[in-house]
């Protein structure tokens, strides 16, 4: 089906980028696109939201689940895969249903050939269920087939073990395992029913591997179909995950493959009815946009108290930690098309205010400062020292957890956007206002009044992480000023509509007259940046740094980041930037930039940005900026870079997982850039800048509960 199916060929060897690309899931569990029978060197993984376990350096990560999707295959005593090369295969990921299919032909021995087709999906309508089906047809000769399915606890996270086995059992055609994470003591139960008509099923128990075996003799032109129904549960959902998982697996088997296919498809249809984007005139863009919407949809938590990590649920990169990537880059898709999922992700932050308060106090301030990297508990989990990728004997100090402080304002921004779009006063009254006010108090009490009579934020990191230890980063300061003013107006809103809530909240957060006054004073007296010919200086002293070597920076044959070329220290002495910073401010606070100012800043900063190998968060924002200033070619070039990040592995690191922020940025580049959608307290409007080849663009947003169709044609 054109523009709905990602099709790829694999050779015989493990391909980690492909494994990432073919990740499927259902908003609770995910599984990378590895072979069901295992390939040598593969980076197989499956994750469930909120199953965190401790690890060194990065502190915590989601534990790779016991292997539940595997079916090992023997024909005439020969095993497929694992020990030798797997035959080339064709993979199709159908975005309409989240189903991954693989087809291959296996020359078993001189006289025997079999064709294999396997399919798998995680049930979107039942987040604790998944199903795998194998269809094996003997096209030449006769084959003695043996299939081995079950659950296997002998898995790791890139060589780190997370599981101890609690109990396991096999009974008829049901295999069950319960395992516990080693540090956090979370129990996960996984159960599987193996249904293979015409075959004899036997069971086998090895430690941590309750197994079901099916054997059959298949003659020429004959076939065998094996279906594996899987239930997954944890102590986050119930008291007895083993029993729960067993019940789920049995009930999936009772429904059967066809029934599960139908209900999964119907649920996906409901997603696409609202969240699809139609682009006429550009097949690459059409398929890519759907692909990235799909990847975000399968990562957004459906039942867990969780949010989406920087690399979604598709790899080990950033160890599933949640950054500003979620609220600023991924959330708008959900805010505008699946508000109930946006609420869940904002709720994730609200439930972690205690951690944010601890971080604020530890830094000598009051209020709440959300951690740069967040996981299960809500305390800072940003690593402090990591090994240098090119030289692991040496360590690099990671400063972002200490110094990158703009997240508070990013959250306030996301909450306001959510509120404008949904009109969800109840959320604002009970949760949103608390986050906005408490995080504003952090800014007010962390800013330092200096002898010049102005407040400053010194030694920070703005969005552009090539410049650590920056003084008065323009983005951070301007966002804090906006946030502090917002706190005053939100408190006024709360007092007017819900006076009792306002009083209780102020008492609970220690907001007295002096705090309120401090919000106003700091906003008023925050030092303002230098502006030269309309260009806002990114941070103090930025204009004095060595200018960018544009020949090198814009050289399209460059294969490394500017920071990798120069080194961390030397790059910071130049005006090379990793990602939009002043232009990020223009994106988030467009009211501060008239047309002339936007143009001046775009002309200055865009060529100085490492679009190719800086941050993957950059290209979509650069695309929007280019669209807003009317530079259609540049807008499309930046957009193309964003859509190729994972689909073409343009940055060379798709093996770590999907670039979630880039995926969300792709949606925004289409909606906020090309369609020019603007959202405010009084409504929405569009100001289209369609790429030349796009003849029609169609999408939906849900505005205050009402489905609005937006169609832009040439
Ligand atoms: C970017 C950050 C981003 C982080 C996680 C970094 O390389 O500079 O803006 O939050 O990656 O994606």
């Amino acid at each position: 089906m054109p523009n709905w199916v990602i099709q790829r060929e694999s050779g015989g060897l493990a391909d980690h980028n492909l494994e990432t690309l073919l990740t499927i899931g259902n908003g609770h569990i995910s599984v990378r696109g590895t072979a069901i029978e295992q390939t040598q060197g593969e980076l197989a993984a499956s994750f469930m939201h909120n199953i965190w376990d401790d690890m060194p350096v990065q502190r915590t990560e989601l534990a790779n689940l016991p292997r539940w999707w595997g079916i090992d295959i023997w024909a005439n005593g020969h095993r497929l895969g694992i020990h030798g090369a797997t035959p080339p295969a064709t993979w199709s990921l159908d975005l309409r249903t989240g189903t991954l299919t693989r087809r291959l032909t296996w020359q078993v021995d001189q006289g025997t050939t079999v064709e294999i087709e396997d399919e798998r999906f995680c049930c979107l309508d039942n987040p604790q269920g998944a199903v795998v089906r194998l269809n094996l047809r003997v096209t030449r000769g006769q084959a003695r087939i043996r299939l081995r399915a079950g659950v296997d606890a002998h898995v790791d996270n890139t060589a780190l073990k997370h599981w101890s086995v609690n109990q396991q059992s096999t009974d008829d055609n049901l295999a069950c395992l319960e395992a516990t994470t080693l540090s956090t003591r979370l129990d996960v139960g996984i159960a599987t029913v193996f249904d293979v008509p015409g075959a004899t099923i036997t069971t086998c128990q090895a430690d941590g591997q309750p197994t079901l075996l099916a054997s059959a003799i298949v003659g020429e032109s004959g076939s065998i179909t094996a279906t594996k129904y899987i239930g997954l549960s944890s102590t986050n959902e119930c008291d007895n995950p083993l029993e729960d998982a067993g019940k789920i697996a049995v009930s999936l088997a009772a429904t059967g493959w066809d029934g599960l296919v139908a209900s999964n498809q119907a649920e996906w249809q409901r997603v696409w009815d609202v969240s699809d984007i139609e682009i006429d005139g550009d097949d690459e863009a059409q398929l890519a946009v759907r692909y990235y919407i799909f990847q975000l949809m399968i990562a957004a938590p459906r039942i867990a108290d969780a949010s989406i990590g920087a690399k979604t649920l598709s790899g080990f990169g950033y160890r599933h930690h949640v950054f500003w990537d979620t609220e600023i880059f991924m959330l708008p898709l959900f805010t505008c098309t699946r508000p109930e999922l946006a609420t869940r992700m904002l709720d994730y932050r609200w439930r972690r205010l205690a951690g944010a308060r601890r971080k604020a106090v530890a830094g000598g301030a009051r209020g709440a400062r959300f951690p740069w990297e967040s996981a299960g508990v809500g305390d800072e989990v940003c690593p402090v020292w990591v090994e240098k990728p090119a030289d692991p004997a040496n360590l690099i100090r990671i400063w972002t957890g200490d110094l990158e402080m703009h997240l508070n304002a990013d959250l306030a921004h996301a909450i306001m956007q959510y509120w404008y779009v949904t009109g969800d006063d109840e959320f604002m009254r009970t949760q949103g206002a608390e986050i906005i006010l408490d995080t504003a108090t952090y800014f007010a009490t962390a800013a330092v009044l200096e002898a010049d009579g102005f407040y400053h934020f010194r030694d920070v990191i703005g969005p552009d992480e090539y410049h650590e230890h920056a003084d008065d980063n323009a983005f951070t300061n301007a966002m804090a000023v906006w946030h502090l003013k917002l706190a005053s107006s939100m408190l006024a809103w709360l007092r007017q509509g819900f006076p009792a809530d306002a009083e209780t909240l102020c008492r609970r957060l220690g907001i007295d007259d002096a705090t309120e006054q401090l919000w106003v004073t700091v906003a008023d007296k925050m030092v303002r940046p230098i502006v030269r010919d309309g260009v806002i200086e990114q941070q103090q002293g930025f204009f004095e740094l060595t200018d960018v070597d544009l020949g090198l920076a814009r050289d399209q044959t460059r294969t490394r980041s500017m920071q990798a070329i120069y080194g961390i220290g030397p790059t910071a002495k130049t005006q090379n930037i990793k990602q939009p910073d002043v232009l990020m401010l223009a994106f988030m606070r467009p009211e501060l930039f008239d047309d002339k100012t936007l143009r001046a800043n775009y002309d200055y900063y865009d060529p100085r940005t490492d679009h190719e190998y800086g941050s993957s968060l950059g290209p979509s924002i650069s695309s929007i900026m280019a669209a807003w200033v009317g530079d259609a070619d540049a807008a499309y070039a930046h957009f193309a870079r964003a859509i190729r990040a994972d689909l073409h592995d343009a940055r060379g690191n798709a093996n770590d997982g999907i670039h979630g922020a880039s995926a969300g940025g792709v949606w925004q580049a289409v909606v906020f850039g090309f369609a020019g959608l603007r959202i405010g307290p009084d409504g929405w409007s569009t100001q289209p800048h369609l790429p030349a080849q796009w003849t029609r663009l169609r999408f939906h947003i849900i505005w205050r509960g009402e489905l609005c169709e937006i169609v832009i044609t040439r």
Side-chain angles (χ1 to χ4, degrees), residues 124-126 262-272 338:
L124 194 66
D125 56 315
N126 179 355
S263 55
N264 177 60
Q265 190 165 359
E267 191 63 26
W268 270 109
Q269 189 60 49
R270 276 191 276 279
V271 171
W272 289 117
R338 290 296 299 266

Side-chain angles (χ1 to χ4, degrees), residues 410-477:
D410 305 329
L411 296 188
H413 175 88
I415 289 170
M416 291 309 287
Q417 196 175 50
Y418 169 84
W419 191 44
Y420 292 153
V421 174
T422 61
D424 187 349
D425 288 353
E426 186 57 14
F427 168 79
M428 192 53 104
R429 178 181 78 79
T430 55
Q431 298 179 290
E434 182 173 359
I435 298 179
I436 291 172
L437 303 193
D438 217 17
T439 49
T441 299
Y442 170 77
F443 275 141
T445 54
V448 176
L449 180 62
E450 295 189 3
D452 60 2
F454 290 101
Y455 283 88
H456 296 257
F457 287 124
R458 298 217 179 255
D459 198 13
V460 304
I461 303 178
D464 160 34
E465 294 178 354
Y466 281 176
H467 293 91
E468 296 169 335
H469 309 293
D471 286 336
D472 291 317
N473 168 256
F475 175 90
T476 307
N477 288 15

Side-chain angles (χ1 to χ4, degrees), residues 27 77 125 147 184 190 197 213 265 267 295 349 378 391 415 469 575 607:
D125 56 315
L147 304 175
T184 48
I190 304 181
L213 297 158
Q265 190 165 359
E267 191 63 26
Q295 282 299 340
R349 292 291 192 178
D391 174 17
I415 289 170
H469 309 293
Q575 295 188 22

Side-chain angles (χ1 to χ4, degrees), residues 67 79 96 113 123 188 255 308 322 374 410 433 435 493 642:
R67 185 183 181 88
R79 181 163 175 192
R96 284 164 308 178
T113 309
C123 309
V188 165
T255 305
I308 309 180
V322 178
S374 177
D410 305 329
I435 298 179
W493 174 83

Side-chain angles (χ1 to χ4, degrees), residues 310-311 318 321 323-326 329-330 372-373 400 404 406 462-466 578-579 614-617 659-661:
K311 301 283 184 162
Y318 287 123
H321 296 178
F323 295 68
W324 73 317
D325 303 36
T326 310
F329 291 83
M330 306 181 216
W372 182 244
E373 296 189 27
T400 45
E404 194 151 356
H406 56 81
D464 160 34
E465 294 178 354
Y466 281 176
K578 184 178 178 187
Q579 65 209 87
S615 168
S616 66
L617 279 59
H659 295 83

